[in-house]
CSV table of all heavy atoms in Angstrom, one decimal:
chain,number,residue,atom,x,y,z
A,1,MET,N,34.8,-122.1,-65.5
A,1,MET,CA,34.5,-121.6,-66.9
A,1,MET,C,33.0,-121.6,-67.0
A,1,MET,O,32.5,-120.6,-67.5
A,1,MET,CB,35.1,-122.7,-67.8
A,1,MET,CG,34.9,-122.4,-69.2
A,1,MET,SD,36.1,-121.2,-69.8
A,1,MET,CE,35.8,-121.2,-71.5
A,2,HIS,N,32.2,-122.6,-66.6
A,2,HIS,CA,30.8,-122.6,-66.8
A,2,HIS,C,30.1,-121.5,-65.9
A,2,HIS,O,29.2,-120.9,-66.2
A,2,HIS,CB,30.2,-123.9,-66.5
A,2,HIS,CG,30.6,-125.0,-67.4
A,2,HIS,ND1,30.2,-124.9,-68.7
A,2,HIS,CD2,31.4,-126.1,-67.3
A,2,HIS,CE1,30.6,-126.0,-69.3
A,2,HIS,NE2,31.4,-126.7,-68.6
A,3,VAL,N,30.8,-121.3,-64.7
A,3,VAL,CA,30.2,-120.2,-63.8
A,3,VAL,C,30.3,-118.9,-64.4
A,3,VAL,O,29.4,-118.1,-64.3
A,3,VAL,CB,31.0,-120.3,-62.5
A,3,VAL,CG1,30.5,-119.2,-61.5
A,3,VAL,CG2,30.8,-121.7,-61.8
A,4,LYS,N,31.4,-118.6,-65.1
A,4,LYS,CA,31.5,-117.3,-65.7
A,4,LYS,C,30.5,-117.1,-66.8
A,4,LYS,O,29.9,-116.0,-66.9
A,4,LYS,CB,33.0,-117.1,-66.3
A,4,LYS,CG,34.0,-116.9,-65.3
A,4,LYS,CD,35.3,-116.6,-65.9
A,4,LYS,CE,36.4,-116.4,-64.9
A,4,LYS,NZ,37.8,-116.1,-65.5
A,5,LYS,N,30.2,-118.1,-67.6
A,5,LYS,CA,29.3,-118.1,-68.7
A,5,LYS,C,27.9,-117.8,-68.1
A,5,LYS,O,27.0,-117.0,-68.6
A,5,LYS,CB,29.3,-119.3,-69.6
A,5,LYS,CG,30.5,-119.4,-70.4
A,5,LYS,CD,30.5,-120.6,-71.4
A,5,LYS,CE,31.7,-120.6,-72.2
A,5,LYS,NZ,31.7,-121.8,-73.1
A,6,LEU,N,27.6,-118.6,-67.0
A,6,LEU,CA,26.2,-118.4,-66.4
A,6,LEU,C,26.1,-117.1,-65.8
A,6,LEU,O,25.0,-116.6,-65.8
A,6,LEU,CB,26.1,-119.6,-65.4
A,6,LEU,CG,25.9,-121.0,-65.9
A,6,LEU,CD1,25.8,-122.0,-64.7
A,6,LEU,CD2,24.6,-121.1,-66.7
A,7,THR,N,27.1,-116.6,-65.2
A,7,THR,CA,27.0,-115.2,-64.6
A,7,THR,C,26.8,-114.2,-65.7
A,7,THR,O,26.0,-113.3,-65.5
A,7,THR,CB,28.3,-114.9,-63.8
A,7,THR,OG1,28.6,-115.9,-62.9
A,7,THR,CG2,28.3,-113.6,-63.1
A,8,LEU,N,27.5,-114.3,-66.8
A,8,LEU,CA,27.3,-113.3,-68.0
A,8,LEU,C,25.9,-113.4,-68.5
A,8,LEU,O,25.2,-112.4,-68.8
A,8,LEU,CB,28.3,-113.6,-69.0
A,8,LEU,CG,29.8,-113.2,-68.7
A,8,LEU,CD1,30.7,-113.7,-69.8
A,8,LEU,CD2,29.8,-111.7,-68.5
A,9,VAL,N,25.4,-114.7,-68.7
A,9,VAL,CA,24.0,-114.9,-69.2
A,9,VAL,C,23.0,-114.3,-68.2
A,9,VAL,O,22.0,-113.6,-68.6
A,9,VAL,CB,23.7,-116.3,-69.4
A,9,VAL,CG1,22.3,-116.6,-69.8
A,9,VAL,CG2,24.6,-116.8,-70.6
A,10,ALA,N,23.2,-114.5,-67.0
A,10,ALA,CA,22.3,-114.0,-65.9
A,10,ALA,C,22.3,-112.5,-65.9
A,10,ALA,O,21.3,-111.9,-65.8
A,10,ALA,CB,22.6,-114.6,-64.5
A,11,ALA,N,23.5,-111.9,-65.9
A,11,ALA,CA,23.5,-110.5,-66.0
A,11,ALA,C,22.9,-109.9,-67.3
A,11,ALA,O,22.2,-108.8,-67.2
A,11,ALA,CB,25.0,-110.0,-66.0
A,12,ALA,N,23.0,-110.6,-68.4
A,12,ALA,CA,22.4,-110.1,-69.6
A,12,ALA,C,20.9,-110.1,-69.5
A,12,ALA,O,20.2,-109.3,-69.9
A,12,ALA,CB,22.9,-110.9,-70.8
A,13,VAL,N,20.4,-111.2,-68.9
A,13,VAL,CA,18.9,-111.4,-68.7
A,13,VAL,C,18.4,-110.3,-67.8
A,13,VAL,O,17.4,-109.6,-68.1
A,13,VAL,CB,18.6,-112.8,-68.2
A,13,VAL,CG1,17.1,-112.9,-67.7
A,13,VAL,CG2,18.9,-113.8,-69.2
A,14,VAL,N,19.0,-110.1,-66.7
A,14,VAL,CA,18.6,-109.0,-65.8
A,14,VAL,C,18.7,-107.6,-66.4
A,14,VAL,O,17.8,-106.9,-66.3
A,14,VAL,CB,19.5,-109.0,-64.5
A,14,VAL,CG1,19.3,-107.8,-63.6
A,14,VAL,CG2,19.2,-110.3,-63.7
A,15,ALA,N,19.7,-107.4,-67.2
A,15,ALA,CA,19.8,-106.1,-67.9
A,15,ALA,C,18.7,-105.9,-68.9
A,15,ALA,O,18.1,-104.8,-69.0
A,15,ALA,CB,21.2,-105.9,-68.6
A,16,ALA,N,18.4,-106.9,-69.6
A,16,ALA,CA,17.3,-106.9,-70.6
A,16,ALA,C,16.0,-106.7,-70.0
A,16,ALA,O,15.1,-105.9,-70.5
A,16,ALA,CB,17.3,-108.2,-71.4
A,17,LEU,N,15.7,-107.3,-68.8
A,17,LEU,CA,14.5,-107.2,-68.2
A,17,LEU,C,14.3,-105.7,-67.6
A,17,LEU,O,13.2,-105.2,-67.7
A,17,LEU,CB,14.4,-108.2,-67.0
A,17,LEU,CG,14.1,-109.6,-67.4
A,17,LEU,CD1,14.1,-110.5,-66.2
A,17,LEU,CD2,12.7,-109.7,-68.1
A,18,LEU,N,15.4,-105.2,-67.1
A,18,LEU,CA,15.3,-103.8,-66.5
A,18,LEU,C,15.2,-102.8,-67.7
A,18,LEU,O,14.4,-101.8,-67.6
A,18,LEU,CB,16.6,-103.5,-65.7
A,18,LEU,CG,16.7,-104.2,-64.4
A,18,LEU,CD1,18.1,-104.0,-63.8
A,18,LEU,CD2,15.6,-103.9,-63.5
A,19,ALA,N,15.8,-103.0,-68.8
A,19,ALA,CA,15.7,-102.1,-69.9
A,19,ALA,C,14.3,-102.1,-70.5
A,19,ALA,O,13.8,-101.1,-70.9
A,19,ALA,CB,16.8,-102.5,-70.9
A,20,SER,N,13.7,-103.3,-70.6
A,20,SER,CA,12.4,-103.4,-71.2
A,20,SER,C,11.3,-102.7,-70.4
A,20,SER,O,10.3,-102.1,-70.9
A,20,SER,CB,12.0,-104.9,-71.4
A,20,SER,OG,11.8,-105.5,-70.1
A,21,GLY,N,11.5,-102.6,-69.0
A,21,GLY,CA,10.5,-101.9,-68.2
A,21,GLY,C,10.7,-100.4,-68.2
A,21,GLY,O,9.8,-99.7,-67.9
A,22,CYS,N,11.8,-100.0,-68.6
A,22,CYS,CA,12.0,-98.5,-68.6
A,22,CYS,C,11.3,-97.8,-69.7
A,22,CYS,O,11.0,-96.6,-69.6
A,22,CYS,CB,13.5,-98.2,-68.8
A,22,CYS,SG,14.5,-98.8,-67.5
A,23,GLY,N,11.0,-98.4,-70.8
A,23,GLY,CA,10.3,-97.8,-71.9
A,23,GLY,C,8.7,-97.7,-71.7
A,23,GLY,O,8.1,-97.1,-72.6
A,24,GLN,N,8.2,-98.3,-70.7
A,24,GLN,CA,6.8,-98.3,-70.5
A,24,GLN,C,6.3,-96.9,-70.0
A,24,GLN,O,6.9,-96.3,-69.1
A,24,GLN,CB,6.4,-99.4,-69.6
A,24,GLN,CG,6.7,-100.8,-70.2
A,24,GLN,CD,5.8,-101.9,-69.6
A,24,GLN,OE1,5.0,-101.6,-68.7
A,24,GLN,NE2,6.0,-103.0,-70.0
A,25,ARG,N,5.1,-96.5,-70.5
A,25,ARG,CA,4.6,-95.2,-70.1
A,25,ARG,C,3.2,-95.5,-69.5
A,25,ARG,O,2.6,-96.6,-69.7
A,25,ARG,CB,4.6,-94.2,-71.2
A,25,ARG,CG,3.7,-94.7,-72.3
A,25,ARG,CD,3.9,-93.6,-73.5
A,25,ARG,NE,3.1,-94.1,-74.6
A,25,ARG,CZ,1.8,-94.0,-74.8
A,25,ARG,NH1,1.1,-93.3,-73.9
A,25,ARG,NH2,1.1,-94.4,-75.8
A,26,GLU,N,2.7,-94.5,-68.8
A,26,GLU,CA,1.4,-94.6,-68.2
A,26,GLU,C,0.3,-94.7,-69.4
A,26,GLU,O,0.4,-94.0,-70.4
A,26,GLU,CB,1.1,-93.3,-67.4
A,26,GLU,CG,-0.2,-93.3,-66.6
A,26,GLU,CD,-0.1,-94.3,-65.5
A,26,GLU,OE1,0.9,-94.6,-65.0
A,26,GLU,OE2,-1.2,-94.8,-65.1
A,27,LEU,N,-0.7,-95.5,-69.1
A,27,LEU,CA,-1.8,-95.7,-70.1
A,27,LEU,C,-2.6,-94.4,-70.1
A,27,LEU,O,-3.0,-93.9,-69.0
A,27,LEU,CB,-2.7,-96.9,-69.7
A,27,LEU,CG,-2.2,-98.2,-70.2
A,27,LEU,CD1,-3.2,-99.3,-69.7
A,27,LEU,CD2,-2.1,-98.3,-71.7
A,28,ASP,N,-3.0,-93.9,-71.3
A,28,ASP,CA,-3.9,-92.8,-71.5
A,28,ASP,C,-5.2,-93.5,-72.0
A,28,ASP,O,-5.3,-93.5,-73.3
A,28,ASP,CB,-3.3,-91.8,-72.4
A,28,ASP,CG,-4.3,-90.6,-72.5
A,28,ASP,OD1,-5.2,-90.4,-71.7
A,28,ASP,OD2,-4.1,-89.8,-73.5
A,29,CYS,N,-6.2,-93.8,-71.2
A,29,CYS,CA,-7.4,-94.5,-71.6
A,29,CYS,C,-8.3,-93.5,-72.3
A,29,CYS,O,-9.3,-94.0,-72.9
A,29,CYS,CB,-8.0,-95.2,-70.5
A,29,CYS,SG,-7.0,-96.7,-69.9
A,30,LYS,N,-8.1,-92.3,-72.2
A,30,LYS,CA,-9.0,-91.3,-72.9
A,30,LYS,C,-8.7,-91.2,-74.3
A,30,LYS,O,-9.6,-91.0,-75.2
A,30,LYS,CB,-8.9,-89.9,-72.3
A,30,LYS,CG,-9.4,-89.9,-70.9
A,30,LYS,CD,-9.4,-88.5,-70.3
A,30,LYS,CE,-9.8,-88.5,-68.8
A,30,LYS,NZ,-9.8,-87.2,-68.3
A,31,ALA,N,-7.5,-91.5,-74.7
A,31,ALA,CA,-7.1,-91.5,-76.2
A,31,ALA,C,-6.0,-92.6,-76.4
A,31,ALA,O,-4.9,-92.3,-76.6
A,31,ALA,CB,-6.5,-90.1,-76.5
A,32,PRO,N,-6.4,-93.9,-76.4
A,32,PRO,CA,-5.4,-94.9,-76.7
A,32,PRO,C,-4.8,-94.8,-78.1
A,32,PRO,O,-5.5,-94.4,-79.1
A,32,PRO,CB,-6.2,-96.3,-76.5
A,32,PRO,CG,-7.6,-95.9,-76.6
A,32,PRO,CD,-7.8,-94.4,-76.2
A,33,ARG,N,-3.5,-95.1,-78.2
A,33,ARG,CA,-2.8,-94.9,-79.5
A,33,ARG,C,-2.9,-96.0,-80.4
A,33,ARG,O,-2.8,-95.8,-81.6
A,33,ARG,CB,-1.4,-94.6,-79.2
A,33,ARG,CG,-1.1,-93.3,-78.5
A,33,ARG,CD,0.3,-93.0,-78.3
A,33,ARG,NE,0.5,-91.8,-77.6
A,33,ARG,CZ,1.6,-91.2,-77.4
A,33,ARG,NH1,2.8,-91.8,-77.9
A,33,ARG,NH2,1.7,-90.0,-76.8
A,34,ASN,N,-3.2,-97.2,-79.9
A,34,ASN,CA,-3.2,-98.4,-80.8
A,34,ASN,C,-4.1,-99.5,-80.2
A,34,ASN,O,-4.7,-99.2,-79.1
A,34,ASN,CB,-1.8,-99.0,-81.0
A,34,ASN,CG,-1.1,-99.3,-79.8
A,34,ASN,OD1,-1.7,-99.7,-78.8
A,34,ASN,ND2,0.2,-99.2,-79.8
A,35,GLN,N,-4.3,-100.5,-80.9
A,35,GLN,CA,-5.3,-101.6,-80.5
A,35,GLN,C,-4.8,-102.2,-79.2
A,35,GLN,O,-5.7,-102.5,-78.3
A,35,GLN,CB,-5.3,-102.7,-81.6
A,35,GLN,CG,-6.2,-103.9,-81.3
A,35,GLN,CD,-7.6,-103.5,-81.4
A,35,GLN,OE1,-8.0,-102.5,-82.1
A,35,GLN,NE2,-8.5,-104.2,-80.7
A,36,GLU,N,-3.5,-102.4,-78.9
A,36,GLU,CA,-3.0,-103.0,-77.7
A,36,GLU,C,-3.4,-102.1,-76.5
A,36,GLU,O,-3.9,-102.6,-75.5
A,36,GLU,CB,-1.5,-103.2,-77.8
A,36,GLU,CG,-0.9,-103.8,-76.6
A,36,GLU,CD,0.6,-103.9,-76.6
A,36,GLU,OE1,1.2,-103.7,-77.6
A,36,GLU,OE2,1.1,-104.3,-75.6
A,37,GLU,N,-3.2,-100.8,-76.6
A,37,GLU,CA,-3.6,-99.9,-75.5
A,37,GLU,C,-5.1,-99.9,-75.3
A,37,GLU,O,-5.5,-99.8,-74.1
A,37,GLU,CB,-3.0,-98.5,-75.8
A,37,GLU,CG,-1.6,-98.3,-75.6
A,37,GLU,CD,-1.2,-96.8,-75.7
A,37,GLU,OE1,-2.0,-96.0,-75.8
A,37,GLU,OE2,0.1,-96.6,-75.7
A,38,GLN,N,-5.8,-100.0,-76.3
A,38,GLN,CA,-7.3,-100.0,-76.2
A,38,GLN,C,-7.7,-101.2,-75.5
A,38,GLN,O,-8.6,-101.2,-74.6
A,38,GLN,CB,-7.9,-100.0,-77.6
A,38,GLN,CG,-9.4,-99.9,-77.6
A,38,GLN,CD,-10.0,-99.8,-79.0
A,38,GLN,OE1,-9.3,-99.9,-80.0
A,38,GLN,NE2,-11.2,-99.5,-79.1
A,39,GLU,N,-7.1,-102.4,-75.8
A,39,GLU,CA,-7.4,-103.7,-75.0
A,39,GLU,C,-7.0,-103.6,-73.6
A,39,GLU,O,-7.7,-104.1,-72.7
A,39,GLU,CB,-6.8,-104.9,-75.7
A,39,GLU,CG,-7.3,-105.2,-77.1
A,39,GLU,CD,-6.5,-106.2,-77.9
A,39,GLU,OE1,-5.6,-106.7,-77.3
A,39,GLU,OE2,-6.9,-106.5,-79.0
A,40,GLN,N,-5.8,-103.0,-73.4
A,40,GLN,CA,-5.4,-102.9,-71.9
A,40,GLN,C,-6.3,-101.9,-71.2
A,40,GLN,O,-6.6,-102.2,-69.9
A,40,GLN,CB,-4.0,-102.3,-71.9
A,40,GLN,CG,-2.9,-103.3,-72.4
A,40,GLN,CD,-1.5,-102.6,-72.4
A,40,GLN,OE1,-1.3,-101.4,-72.2
A,40,GLN,NE2,-0.5,-103.4,-72.7
A,41,CYS,N,-6.8,-100.9,-71.7
A,41,CYS,CA,-7.7,-100.0,-71.1
A,41,CYS,C,-9.1,-100.6,-70.8
A,41,CYS,O,-9.7,-100.5,-69.8
A,41,CYS,CB,-8.0,-98.7,-71.9
A,41,CYS,SG,-6.5,-97.6,-71.9
A,42,ALA,N,-9.5,-101.5,-71.8
A,42,ALA,CA,-10.8,-102.2,-71.6
A,42,ALA,C,-10.6,-103.2,-70.4
A,42,ALA,O,-11.6,-103.3,-69.6
A,42,ALA,CB,-11.2,-102.9,-72.9
A,43,HIS,N,-9.5,-103.8,-70.3
A,43,HIS,CA,-9.3,-104.8,-69.3
A,43,HIS,C,-9.2,-104.1,-67.9
A,43,HIS,O,-9.8,-104.5,-66.9
A,43,HIS,CB,-8.0,-105.6,-69.5
A,43,HIS,CG,-7.7,-106.5,-68.3
A,43,HIS,ND1,-8.3,-107.6,-68.1
A,43,HIS,CD2,-6.7,-106.4,-67.4
A,43,HIS,CE1,-7.8,-108.2,-67.0
A,43,HIS,NE2,-6.8,-107.5,-66.5
A,44,LYS,N,-8.5,-102.9,-67.8
A,44,LYS,CA,-8.4,-102.1,-66.7
A,44,LYS,C,-9.7,-101.6,-66.2
A,44,LYS,O,-10.0,-101.7,-65.0
A,44,LYS,CB,-7.4,-101.0,-66.9
A,44,LYS,CG,-7.1,-100.1,-65.7
A,44,LYS,CD,-6.2,-99.0,-66.1
A,44,LYS,CE,-6.0,-98.1,-65.0
A,44,LYS,NZ,-5.2,-96.9,-65.4
A,45,THR,N,-10.5,-101.2,-67.1
A,45,THR,CA,-11.9,-100.7,-66.8
A,45,THR,C,-12.8,-101.8,-66.2
A,45,THR,O,-13.5,-101.6,-65.3
A,45,THR,CB,-12.5,-100.0,-68.0
A,45,THR,OG1,-11.7,-98.9,-68.4
A,45,THR,CG2,-13.8,-99.4,-67.6
A,46,SER,N,-12.7,-102.9,-66.9
A,46,SER,CA,-13.6,-104.1,-66.5
A,46,SER,C,-13.2,-104.7,-65.2
A,46,SER,O,-14.1,-105.4,-64.5
A,46,SER,CB,-13.7,-105.1,-67.6
A,46,SER,OG,-12.4,-105.8,-67.7
A,47,THR,N,-12.1,-104.5,-64.7
A,47,THR,CA,-11.6,-105.2,-63.5
A,47,THR,C,-11.4,-104.3,-62.3
A,47,THR,O,-11.1,-104.7,-61.2
A,47,THR,CB,-10.2,-105.9,-63.7
A,47,THR,OG1,-9.3,-105.0,-64.2
A,47,THR,CG2,-10.4,-107.1,-64.7
A,48,GLU,N,-11.7,-103.0,-62.5
A,48,GLU,CA,-11.6,-102.0,-61.3
A,48,GLU,C,-12.8,-102.1,-60.4
A,48,GLU,O,-13.9,-102.4,-60.8
A,48,GLU,CB,-11.3,-100.6,-61.8
A,48,GLU,CG,-12.6,-100.0,-62.5
A,48,GLU,CD,-12.3,-98.6,-63.1
A,48,GLU,OE1,-11.1,-98.2,-63.1
A,48,GLU,OE2,-13.2,-98.0,-63.4
A,49,ASP,N,-12.5,-101.8,-59.2
A,49,ASP,CA,-13.6,-101.8,-58.2
A,49,ASP,C,-14.3,-100.4,-58.2
A,49,ASP,O,-13.7,-99.4,-58.2
A,49,ASP,CB,-13.0,-102.0,-56.8
A,49,ASP,CG,-12.5,-103.4,-56.6
A,49,ASP,OD1,-13.1,-104.3,-57.3
A,49,ASP,OD2,-11.7,-103.6,-55.7
A,50,ARG,N,-15.6,-100.5,-58.3
A,50,ARG,CA,-16.4,-99.3,-58.3
A,50,ARG,C,-17.3,-99.1,-57.1
A,50,ARG,O,-17.8,-98.1,-56.9
A,50,ARG,CB,-17.2,-99.2,-59.6
A,50,ARG,CG,-16.4,-99.1,-60.9
A,50,ARG,CD,-17.2,-98.9,-62.0
A,50,ARG,NE,-16.3,-98.9,-63.2
A,50,ARG,CZ,-16.7,-98.7,-64.4
A,50,ARG,NH1,-18.0,-98.6,-64.7
A,50,ARG,NH2,-15.8,-98.7,-65.4
A,51,ILE,N,-17.5,-100.2,-56.4
A,51,ILE,CA,-18.3,-100.1,-55.2
A,51,ILE,C,-17.4,-100.2,-54.0
A,51,ILE,O,-16.6,-101.1,-53.8
A,51,ILE,CB,-19.3,-101.3,-55.2
A,51,ILE,CG1,-20.1,-101.3,-56.4
A,51,ILE,CG2,-20.1,-101.4,-54.0
A,51,ILE,CD1,-21.0,-102.5,-56.6
A,52,ALA,N,-17.6,-99.3,-53.1
A,52,ALA,CA,-16.8,-99.2,-51.9
A,52,ALA,C,-17.2,-100.4,-51.0
A,52,ALA,O,-18.4,-100.8,-50.9
A,52,ALA,CB,-17.0,-97.9,-51.2
A,53,PRO,N,-16.3,-100.9,-50.2
A,53,PRO,CA,-16.6,-102.1,-49.3
A,53,PRO,C,-17.6,-101.5,-48.2
A,53,PRO,O,-17.5,-100.3,-47.7
A,53,PRO,CB,-15.3,-102.5,-48.7
A,53,PRO,CG,-14.4,-101.4,-49.0
A,53,PRO,CD,-14.9,-100.6,-50.2
A,54,THR,N,-18.4,-102.4,-47.8
A,54,THR,CA,-19.4,-102.1,-46.6
A,54,THR,C,-18.7,-102.0,-45.4
A,54,THR,O,-17.8,-102.8,-45.0
A,54,THR,CB,-20.4,-103.2,-46.6
A,54,THR,OG1,-21.0,-103.4,-47.8
A,54,THR,CG2,-21.5,-102.8,-45.6
A,55,GLU,N,-18.9,-101.0,-44.5
A,55,GLU,CA,-18.3,-100.8,-43.3
A,55,GLU,C,-18.6,-101.8,-42.3
A,55,GLU,O,-17.8,-102.4,-41.6
A,55,GLU,CB,-18.6,-99.4,-42.7
A,55,GLU,CG,-17.9,-98.2,-43.5
A,55,GLU,CD,-18.2,-96.9,-42.9
A,55,GLU,OE1,-18.7,-96.8,-41.7
A,55,GLU,OE2,-18.1,-96.0,-43.6
A,56,LYS,N,-20.0,-102.2,-42.1
A,56,LYS,CA,-20.4,-103.2,-41.1
A,56,LYS,C,-21.3,-104.2,-41.9
A,56,LYS,O,-22.5,-104.1,-41.9
A,56,LYS,CB,-21.1,-102.5,-40.1
A,56,LYS,CG,-20.3,-101.6,-39.2
A,56,LYS,CD,-21.1,-101.1,-38.1
A,56,LYS,CE,-20.3,-100.1,-37.2
A,56,LYS,NZ,-21.0,-99.6,-36.1
A,57,PRO,N,-20.7,-105.1,-42.6
A,57,PRO,CA,-21.5,-106.0,-43.3
A,57,PRO,C,-22.3,-106.9,-42.4
A,57,PRO,O,-21.9,-107.2,-41.3
A,57,PRO,CB,-20.5,-106.9,-44.1
A,57,PRO,CG,-19.2,-106.7,-43.4
A,57,PRO,CD,-19.3,-105.5,-42.7
A,58,LYS,N,-23.6,-107.3,-42.9
A,58,LYS,CA,-24.4,-108.2,-42.1
A,58,LYS,C,-24.6,-109.5,-42.8
A,58,LYS,O,-24.5,-109.6,-44.0
A,58,LYS,CB,-25.8,-107.5,-41.9
A,58,LYS,CG,-25.7,-106.3,-41.1
A,58,LYS,CD,-27.1,-105.7,-40.9
A,58,LYS,CE,-27.0,-104.4,-40.0
A,58,LYS,NZ,-28.3,-103.9,-39.9
A,59,ASN,N,-24.9,-110.6,-42.1
A,59,ASN,CA,-25.1,-111.9,-42.6
A,59,ASN,C,-26.5,-111.8,-43.3
A,59,ASN,O,-27.5,-111.3,-42.8
A,59,ASN,CB,-25.1,-112.9,-41.4
A,59,ASN,CG,-25.2,-114.3,-41.9
A,59,ASN,OD1,-25.8,-114.6,-43.0
A,59,ASN,ND2,-24.7,-115.2,-41.1
A,60,TRP,N,-26.5,-112.4,-44.5
A,60,TRP,CA,-27.7,-112.4,-45.3
A,60,TRP,C,-28.8,-113.2,-44.7
A,60,TRP,O,-30.0,-112.8,-44.9
A,60,TRP,CB,-27.5,-112.8,-46.7
A,60,TRP,CG,-27.1,-114.3,-46.9
A,60,TRP,CD1,-25.8,-114.9,-46.8
A,60,TRP,CD2,-28.0,-115.4,-47.1
A,60,TRP,NE1,-25.9,-116.2,-46.9
A,60,TRP,CE2,-27.2,-116.6,-47.1
A,60,TRP,CE3,-29.4,-115.4,-47.3
A,60,TRP,CZ2,-27.8,-117.7,-47.3
A,60,TRP,CZ3,-29.9,-116.7,-47.5
A,60,TRP,CH2,-29.1,-117.8,-47.5
A,61,LEU,N,-28.5,-114.2,-43.9
A,61,LEU,CA,-29.6,-114.9,-43.2
A,61,LEU,C,-30.3,-114.0,-42.2
A,61,LEU,O,-31.5,-114.1,-42.0
A,61,LEU,CB,-29.0,-116.1,-42.5
A,61,LEU,CG,-28.4,-117.2,-43.4
A,61,LEU,CD1,-27.7,-118.3,-42.7
A,61,LEU,CD2,-29.6,-117.9,-44.2
A,62,TYR,N,-29.5,-113.2,-41.5
A,62,TYR,CA,-30.1,-112.2,-40.6
A,62,TYR,C,-31.1,-111.2,-41.3
A,62,TYR,O,-32.1,-110.8,-40.8
A,62,TYR,CB,-29.1,-111.5,-39.8
A,62,TYR,CG,-29.7,-110.5,-38.8
A,62,TYR,CD1,-30.2,-110.8,-37.7
A,62,TYR,CD2,-29.6,-109.1,-39.2
A,62,TYR,CE1,-30.8,-109.9,-36.8
A,62,TYR,CE2,-30.1,-108.2,-38.3
A,62,TYR,CZ,-30.7,-108.6,-37.1
A,62,TYR,OH,-31.3,-107.6,-36.3
A,63,LEU,N,-30.7,-110.8,-42.5
A,63,LEU,CA,-31.4,-109.9,-43.2
A,63,LEU,C,-32.8,-110.5,-43.7
A,63,LEU,O,-33.8,-109.8,-43.9
A,63,LEU,CB,-30.7,-109.3,-44.4
A,63,LEU,CG,-29.4,-108.5,-44.0
A,63,LEU,CD1,-28.6,-108.2,-45.3
A,63,LEU,CD2,-29.8,-107.3,-43.3
A,64,THR,N,-32.8,-111.8,-44.1
A,64,THR,CA,-34.0,-112.5,-44.5
A,64,THR,C,-35.0,-112.8,-43.4
A,64,THR,O,-36.2,-112.9,-43.6
A,64,THR,CB,-33.7,-113.7,-45.3
A,64,THR,OG1,-32.9,-114.6,-44.4
A,64,THR,CG2,-32.9,-113.4,-46.5
A,65,ASN,N,-34.5,-113.0,-42.2
A,65,ASN,CA,-35.4,-113.3,-41.0
A,65,ASN,C,-34.9,-112.5,-39.8
A,65,ASN,O,-34.1,-113.1,-39.0
A,65,ASN,CB,-35.4,-114.8,-40.8
A,65,ASN,CG,-36.5,-115.2,-39.9
A,65,ASN,OD1,-37.2,-114.4,-39.3
A,65,ASN,ND2,-36.4,-116.5,-39.5
A,66,PRO,N,-35.2,-111.3,-39.7
A,66,PRO,CA,-34.6,-110.4,-38.6
A,66,PRO,C,-35.1,-110.8,-37.1
A,66,PRO,O,-34.5,-110.3,-36.2
A,66,PRO,CB,-34.9,-109.0,-39.0
A,66,PRO,CG,-36.1,-109.1,-39.9
A,66,PRO,CD,-36.0,-110.5,-40.5
A,67,LYS,N,-36.1,-111.6,-37.0
A,67,LYS,CA,-36.6,-111.9,-35.7
A,67,LYS,C,-35.8,-113.0,-35.0
A,67,LYS,O,-36.0,-113.2,-33.8
A,67,LYS,CB,-38.1,-112.4,-35.8
A,67,LYS,CG,-39.0,-111.3,-36.3
A,67,LYS,CD,-40.4,-111.8,-36.4
A,67,LYS,CE,-41.3,-110.7,-36.9
A,67,LYS,NZ,-42.8,-111.1,-37.0
A,68,ARG,N,-34.9,-113.6,-35.6
A,68,ARG,CA,-34.1,-114.7,-35.1
A,68,ARG,C,-33.1,-114.1,-34.0
A,68,ARG,O,-32.5,-113.3,-33.9
A,68,ARG,CB,-33.2,-115.4,-36.1
A,68,ARG,CG,-33.9,-116.4,-36.8
A,68,ARG,CD,-33.0,-117.1,-37.7
A,68,ARG,NE,-33.4,-118.5,-37.8
A,68,ARG,CZ,-32.8,-119.3,-38.5
A,68,ARG,NH1,-31.7,-119.0,-39.1
A,68,ARG,NH2,-33.3,-120.6,-38.6
């Protein structure tokens, strides 16, 4: 009896989670529609990488004293 109830509850939770993700759309940061989208765009912009990784990084100690 309890297993059937737990199975139904679990199925309902999974269905609700899947359904909530279906309504999401791509952020348009050029023209956010509301305050929430504006905040999401600001977060996305502030956390993105803008500098490419260095191909052959050097140790900073070597750069300060190259004669070593």
Side-chain angles (χ1 to χ4, degrees):
M1 180 83 171
H2 292 290
V3 175
K4 287 184 178 181
K5 287 183 181 180
L6 288 175
T7 305
L8 289 174
V9 170
V13 169
V14 169
L17 289 173
L18 290 175
S20 68
C22 293
Q24 296 202 1
R25 58 183 179 85
E26 186 70 28
L27 276 178
D28 180 17
C29 290
K30 292 181 181 179
R33 294 184 180 186
N34 55 32
Q35 181 71 24
E36 181 182 353
E37 284 187 8
Q38 187 176 6
E39 290 172 1
Q40 289 175 354
C41 289
H43 175 73
K44 182 179 175 184
T45 302
S46 68
T47 57
E48 69 184 9
D49 289 335
R50 294 186 182 180
I51 300 173
T54 307
E55 289 182 18
K56 294 182 181 179
K58 295 183 179 179
N59 187 330
W60 67 273
L61 292 172
Y62 177 74
L63 297 173
T64 57
N65 191 3
K67 293 182 181 181
R68 277 186 151 179

